[in-house]
Amino acid sequence: MARYLSLLVSFYLFGCNLNSEQLVNIDKYTFDEIKFNAVSKNLSFDNLDIDTNTDVNIAKKVIQNWFDSKIKTDGLEGKLNVVVDPIKIKKTKYDEYYKFEINLSMKFSEINKILNSERVYKVNSIEFGEIKGSFTIKDQDNLNINIIRKSLDNIGKKLISIN
């Protein structure tokens, strides 16, 4: 009897999962590699001590992953310092409306002591997205991640154009 009951419950859960419709899926961004004339690189978050805001923590993880995989160094001398200014996130939620906005500002400093030069790039991106109608918490989370990635993609494109 217990086997039949567990089988029936698993079919019910599987059927509910099939009927639920995901409004927002995670977008696949193919970020461009950005190369700097440096030997080492360092990422730091300005004024972001231990933060209890889960959205900021998710943004920090996405930024760290982007930095590790897409910011490349190809020089013989120098250092690249990247500072992320405080991440500003604004969420608006009503019964059938959700909006997520991120203001992301980053400063890239290429320092070469042998050539006695420093190049500084300050790049800013403000992106937002919204959902209207009936949506789930998973849809909200997916929208948040998509907007964070869209903001990083925008920063990457700006860096490529000026670098």
Side-chain angles (χ1 to χ4, degrees), residues 29-94:
Y29 281 94
T30 56
F31 298 111
D32 295 325
E33 284 189 357
I34 305 163
K35 294 186 179 182
F36 289 92
N37 190 16
V39 175
S40 63
K41 62 182 183 176
N42 181 40
L43 174 68
S44 61
F45 294 92
D46 194 22
N47 295 330
L48 290 177
D49 298 328
I50 301 171
D51 200 339
T52 57
N53 187 338
T54 56
D55 294 319
V56 172
N57 288 332
I58 290 169
K60 286 168 56 175
K61 288 178 186 176
V62 173
I63 293 167
Q64 183 71 51
N65 186 28
W66 172 76
F67 179 78
D68 291 340
S69 63
K70 296 301 177 180
I71 303 297
K72 303 294 183 183
T73 56
D74 67 349
L76 299 174
E77 295 293 331
K79 183 175 184 177
L80 173 68
N81 289 321
V82 179
V83 178
V84 179
D85 289 338
I87 302 169
K88 297 176 187 130
I89 292 177
K90 182 180 175 186
K91 296 193 290 188
T92 307
K93 184 176 178 185
Y94 300 113

Side-chain angles (χ1 to χ4, degrees), residues 76-79 111-117:
L76 299 174
E77 295 293 331
K79 183 175 184 177
I111 302 167
N112 191 329
K113 291 184 179 181
I114 291 179
L115 297 176
N116 198 19
S117 69

Side-chain angles (χ1 to χ4, degrees), residues 5-22:
L5 185 58
S6 63
L7 185 63
L8 182 63
V9 169
S10 64
F11 279 130
Y12 176 74
L13 292 175
F14 183 71
C16 289
N17 196 16
L18 286 178
N19 288 335
S20 69
E21 197 172 310
Q22 200 76 30

